Amino acid sequence: MIEALALVARYANAGNTTYYPLGETVPVHKAMGGDWAEVVHRTDKRGRRRAVRMVYEVVAFQALRDQLKCKEIWVAGADKWRDPDEDLPQSFEARRAEKRA
């Protein structure tokens, strides 16, 4: 995921380009599987298989969002803003006394 975000950042100011340049390594991540694999890569006018920049970026940001939600990816310092009640098990208050004894 880090490599995918680095690629997106490198071309953030590249203007209106349809594909990533030839020779550019386009990292594969788990969100690119299934139906997305067919949409991310397209054959250009010369018959070369290329990664469509806009589609790749959408898939990468969706994967980032999903991984942040389930805490597969941690952002340094983000715990400062979290709600600890969301991290506790539902039975925490009921079982709290058990842990003290």
Side-chain angles (χ1 to χ4, degrees):
M1 192 75 243
I2 300 299
E3 292 87 8
L5 294 175
L7 175 66
V8 170
R10 275 198 308 275
Y11 291 95
N13 296 319
N16 190 16
T17 56
T18 303
Y19 302 106
Y20 285 110
L22 290 172
E24 180 66 69
T25 302
V26 178
V28 176
H29 48 82
K30 66 182 180 180
M32 287 179 55
D35 295 337
W36 282 113
E38 295 176 23
V39 181
V40 169
H41 292 94
R42 191 182 314 160
T43 304
D44 69 7
K45 294 176 183 177
R46 294 184 180 173
R48 300 173 294 199
R49 190 168 186 256
R50 309 274 302 270
V52 181
R53 185 176 155 214
M54 185 182 348
V55 177
Y56 183 82
E57 291 173 1
V58 167
V59 172
F61 287 131
Q62 285 179 340
L64 176 63
R65 179 199 63 202
D66 293 343
Q67 291 176 14
L68 286 169
K69 279 183 177 179
C70 67
K71 299 180 184 174
E72 286 183 52
I73 293 179
W74 288 89
V75 176
D79 59 342
K80 176 176 164 181
W81 305 105
R82 79 168 203 267
D83 181 0
D85 291 334
E86 291 179 3
D87 293 336
L88 295 174
Q90 296 296 323
S91 62
F92 180 76
E93 285 300 324
R95 300 185 76 187
R96 187 176 194 166
E98 292 176 21
K99 304 226 181 217
R100 289 185 183 170

